[in-house]
Amino acid sequence: MGEEVAEYNGAYKVSQGLLDRFGAERIIDTPISENGFAGLGIGAAMVGLRPIVEFMTFSFSLVAFDQIVNNAPTCSPCRAASSTSRSPSAGRNGPAHQLGATHSHATECFTPTCPD
């Protein structure tokens, strides 16, 4: 799930062909609401589904930073679960031509340093 992942085949064509292969039940275009669909992916992982969340650019993941680095890692311990829930996220990272400064953050150092 993510912005433009279905009908448009992904902003950078990463999800190209997935809508045809898996259908609209599994490949979901979301509104511009990173915090919402990041939380949805985390919740889906908590109940045993295997979501993949795609951010148009990983700079947008900063909007959902609380979900990714605070809520997701603490869900399993709070539920006394024996294993952690995984909700992979993907997105373009770093400088992007003609997209401006707010779309070009290099965020690779943020999430690896957060606890699982």
Side-chain angles (χ1 to χ4, degrees), residues 65-115:
F65 206 59
D66 185 46
Q67 294 280 16
I68 296 167
V69 302
N70 189 31
N71 295 340
T74 58
C75 285
S76 292
C78 289
R79 293 176 39 236
S82 59
S83 64
T84 58
S85 301
R86 299 287 184 207
S87 180
S89 55
R92 185 134 172 112
N93 189 39
H97 299 290
Q98 300 176 346
L99 292 181
T102 60
H103 293 59
S104 299
H105 298 299
T107 61
E108 65 274 357
C109 64
F110 291 146
T111 52
T113 60
C114 299

Side-chain angles (χ1 to χ4, degrees), residues 35-91:
N35 199 35
F37 63 78
L40 181 63
I42 292 164
M46 285 176 59
V47 297
L49 299 176
R50 305 182 111 198
I52 298 173
V53 175
E54 181 181 330
F55 295 99
M56 190 178 295
T57 73
F58 225 68
S59 296
F60 297 164
S61 73
L62 298 178
V63 176
F65 206 59
D66 185 46
Q67 294 280 16
I68 296 167
V69 302
N70 189 31
N71 295 340
T74 58
C75 285
S76 292
C78 289
R79 293 176 39 236
S82 59
S83 64
T84 58
S85 301
R86 299 287 184 207
S87 180
S89 55

